[in-house]
Amino acid sequence: MSTPTTHEFQAEVKQVLDIVIHSLYTDREIFIRELVSNAADALEKMRHTQLTEKDIFQADKPLEISITSDETAGTLTIADAGIGMTRAELVENLGTIAHSGSKAFASALKNAGKGGDATLIGQFGVGFYSAFMVAEEVKVYTHSWRGEGEHLVWSSTGVGTYTIEEAPDQDRGCRIVIRLKEDARDFARPGTIRSVLGKYSNFVGFPITLNGERVNTVEAIWLKNKDEVTEEQYESFYKFTAKAFDKPVYRLHFQADAPLVINALLFLPEQNMEAFGMGQMEPGVALYCKKVLIDPHPPKLLPDWMRFVKGVIDSEDLPLNISRESMQDSALVRKLGEVVGKRLLKFLDKEAQDDAKKFQEFYMKFSRFFKEGVATDHANRDAIAKLLRFESSLTEPGEVVGLGDYVKRMKEDQKAIYYQVAPSRAAIEGGPYLEAFKSKGYEVLFLYESIDEYVVSTLPEFEGKKLQAVNSPDVDLGEVSSEGESLSEDDTLALAGWLKESLGDGVEEVRAGKRLVSAPALAITPEGEMTPQLRQMMKALKPSEVEAPKVILEINPRHELVKKVNHLRQNDADLAKLLSEQILDNALLSAGLLDDPQRVVARTEKIMARIAG
Ligand code: ADP
């Protein structure tokens, strides 16, 4: 027999263990759920391995989970006949965390507050370590499914290091032995274990025994009729299948016979896990065929943006021996995903109409996914666009409107759906663009996120109406009524010519603007130039490659300041130049195009000196 080797835990694992051991003291029971769920995953992988591999260690061993407890010794043992682990896999799986799990977990816990919230742990891919909430020591006895593998035991007290040594006569799979802490000995009582299993593990697709007695009935509630399933069953199934701790906000349970036989049970969660900094989630809707799990996270079943949806799709039309690989290219699977995806979008649209407030609350957390959907899922683009929500010039701050309602309240002569992209409501309401639209009674959508612009650019139309930015050169508002006497047409033309001359390269054109009410001027991005938002993004990426902006300057010939500049250009050309440069920079600032705020400071000082002098 070899001597044990000692290994240091990776720093991220140490961090997780430190939290688990020192900060989590509520909901400790969930460690049972985590270990049972790992055992079930390992059995699931075994079932698939059996389909493709020949040389399997203990090939006839039944796929089961057996739990035994010893109250006198204070130990709890969870054994499975799953795929087990090799020495390298032990090091990889129980000594390191591959992704951002530990960081995301730590920050989620911080939000959860005092006492921690242990129920979160499974979502962050660190469930195994939850055993250390209750364990003095954990031993993992294992033999991999691979024929000539080693018989091994991994042991640790959760502090700093673990050891691996040979341990003869291991069965295939993993046997996890937990020596319970003094204050956790209750978890060796069969009554306690049974009640925890009842809460969390009812839906495990493999037999579970406790001290030799069968404790679960394998239930496929998605195959039942809606009226045969209770709210509690739905909720605990959601928690089981999504490894979730929250409650689902929406649930869609349906059966269909044509064009395919489908039993689907889908849930929309309350919490957006990607918002915790977990990186991109795996698809959350599992694929089954006649109760048998084909793939827990099938990548090409539903469109990628629907990865936050949880649940199950079962279709008896699929061949039972379909492999995960062939599944991905299967036309049948694609069709299945199409049908269910469409159904889900229809369901959400109806829910949004029935209870707009509830949908808004849900949407606020998951808006990123819907926006991604509009940009990437062409087949469903219009249906997803219906679900987008934005603040607008007609909503209160924090309230939103959908494109459908927007179109319903469009004015008769209104030509397009108007939007402005800007960082905040204040920036839009204080800027020069909105007022003309307001004076016409046209609603303007307020888009606050930088991806919004990209999203609307992939959506040229909604219900036959064009989407148009308020600062687009193509906006046609007809006549905008405004007060005050205007410069004559000749004077306006002459002033525009003079401004073009004196402002130089930054302006492509100066013209009288029809869409100005109380501002002296505004800047419009000419056709073919980058929009201000895109330009800002490019500037952040490659500052040296972004040239100075070029704009069309629209002036308001009714505005006092504009009239003054016109007068001054003939009498005090210096001051007229200073003022017109300032008018341009103000317009650039409102447009999000001002690169050099410092020059504004210098110039305003000059102007102030002129006034004071
Ligand atoms: P997750 O299960 O979310 O990946 P865990 O911390 O619970 O995270 O487990 C880490 C890894 O250890 C698993 O991904 C799996 O590869 C391995 N593992 C855990 N338990 C078992 C088991 N009973 N049998 C085989 N492998 C296991």
Side-chain angles (χ1 to χ4, degrees), residues 46 49-50 52-59 143-149 172:
M46 194 60 236
T49 308
Q50 282 171 338
T52 51
E53 302 287 338
K54 290 216 174 60
D55 181 19
I56 290 177
F57 184 62
Q58 297 179 334
H143 192 294
S144 159
W145 65 269
R146 287 162 210 280
E148 69 277 24
R172 186 192 70 220

Side-chain angles (χ1 to χ4, degrees), residues 34-35 38-39 41-42 45 80 82-85 93-94 122 124-129 173-174 176 243:
E34 295 305 324
L35 297 185
N38 280 351
D41 288 350
K45 287 178 192 155
D80 65 69
I83 52 167
M85 283 180 268
N93 297 336
L94 307 186
F124 295 94
V126 293
F128 169 77
Y129 303 103
C174 278
I176 302 181
K243 294 195 178 169

Side-chain angles (χ1 to χ4, degrees), residues 447-584:
L447 278 48
Y448 301 137
E449 290 194 303
S450 45
I451 63 159
D452 289 343
E453 176 171 50
Y454 176 65
V455 172
V456 290
S457 75
T458 62
L459 187 72
E461 273 193 10
F462 180 82
E463 292 181 0
K465 310 285 178 199
K466 258 205 292 213
L467 277 85
Q468 208 166 52
V470 293
N471 58 348
S472 148
D474 302 330
V475 166
D476 176 10
L477 294 181
E479 274 310 313
V480 174
S481 67
S482 50
E483 304 188 344
E485 204 176 317
S486 173
L487 284 177
S488 71
E489 219 160 287
D490 284 350
D491 276 345
T492 309
L493 264 177
L495 174 63
W498 180 84
L499 283 169
K500 166 87 183 84
E501 191 81 356
S502 81
L503 291 172
D505 278 351
V507 290
E508 187 175 285
E509 185 190 342
V510 180
R511 65 187 184 204
K514 284 192 192 151
R515 53 175 119 171
L516 280 156
V517 182
S518 66
L522 55 72
I524 290 171
T525 311
E527 201 75 59
E529 287 283 315
M530 270 189 265
T531 63
Q533 289 70 31
L534 185 60
R535 190 171 172 280
Q536 268 166 14
M537 272 193 285
M538 293 300 287
K539 252 182 74 183
L541 293 172
K542 294 185 178 158
S544 61
E545 284 179 26
V546 178
E547 293 172 9
K550 225 177 175 44
V551 298
I552 298 168
L553 187 70
E554 285 199 357
I555 52 169
N556 179 356
R558 285 183 192 80
H559 199 277
E560 279 312 311
L561 191 54
V562 174
K563 290 194 242 175
K564 280 250 161 62
V565 172
N566 186 49
H567 177 72
L568 281 170
R569 77 185 163 91
Q570 288 140 356
N571 306 306
D572 185 347
D574 275 355
L575 183 58
K577 189 163 184 334
L578 275 180
L579 292 176
S580 54
E581 283 170 356
Q582 189 61 39
I583 290 172
L584 172 62

Side-chain angles (χ1 to χ4, degrees), residues 36-221:
V36 168
S37 136
N38 280 351
D41 288 350
L43 287 166
E44 204 56 68
K45 287 178 192 155
M46 194 60 236
R47 178 146 70 195
H48 280 276
T49 308
Q50 282 171 338
L51 295 176
T52 51
E53 302 287 338
K54 290 216 174 60
D55 181 19
I56 290 177
F57 184 62
Q58 297 179 334
D60 297 332
K61 210 169 154 36
L63 301 182
E64 287 178 359
I65 299 171
S66 90
I67 303 178
T68 46
S69 68
D70 184 337
E71 278 186 86
T72 340
T75 59
L76 175 64
T77 302
I78 298 175
D80 65 69
I83 52 167
M85 283 180 268
T86 62
R87 188 180 282 267
E89 284 164 347
L90 278 173
V91 173
E92 170 80 24
N93 297 336
L94 307 186
T96 66
I97 304 171
H99 45 71
S100 54
S102 65
K103 241 197 210 133
F105 177 54
S107 79
L109 274 180
K110 226 176 251 151
N111 293 338
K114 207 167 168 282
D117 184 351
T119 57
L120 289 167
I121 199 164
Q123 302 241 324
F124 295 94
V126 293
F128 169 77
Y129 303 103
S130 66
F132 289 95
M133 286 192 290
V134 296
E136 203 81 66
E137 186 190 43
V138 177
K139 283 183 184 290
V140 181
Y141 295 91
T142 186
H143 192 294
S144 159
W145 65 269
R146 287 162 210 280
E148 69 277 24
E150 290 177 285
H151 301 258
L152 297 167
V153 56
W154 175 104
S155 345
S156 179
T157 58
V159 185
T161 60
Y162 60 92
T163 61
I164 299 178
E165 63 187 302
E166 285 186 21
D169 300 332
Q170 296 313 314
D171 284 339
R172 186 192 70 220
C174 278
R175 182 162 52 92
I176 302 181
V177 181
I178 295 172
R179 185 149 59 74
L180 292 161
K181 287 182 188 170
E182 208 48 53
D183 68 359
R185 284 196 152 217
D186 194 39
F187 292 110
R189 273 189 43 230
T192 309
I193 306 166
R194 191 179 289 272
S195 95
V196 177
L197 287 173
K199 249 196 263 179
Y200 294 120
S201 308
N202 264 337
F203 303 101
V204 172
F206 298 94
I208 304 178
T209 58
L210 173 60
N211 297 331
E213 268 175 55
R214 178 74 185 262
V215 285
N216 66 334
T217 47
V218 178
E219 255 190 318
I221 66 167

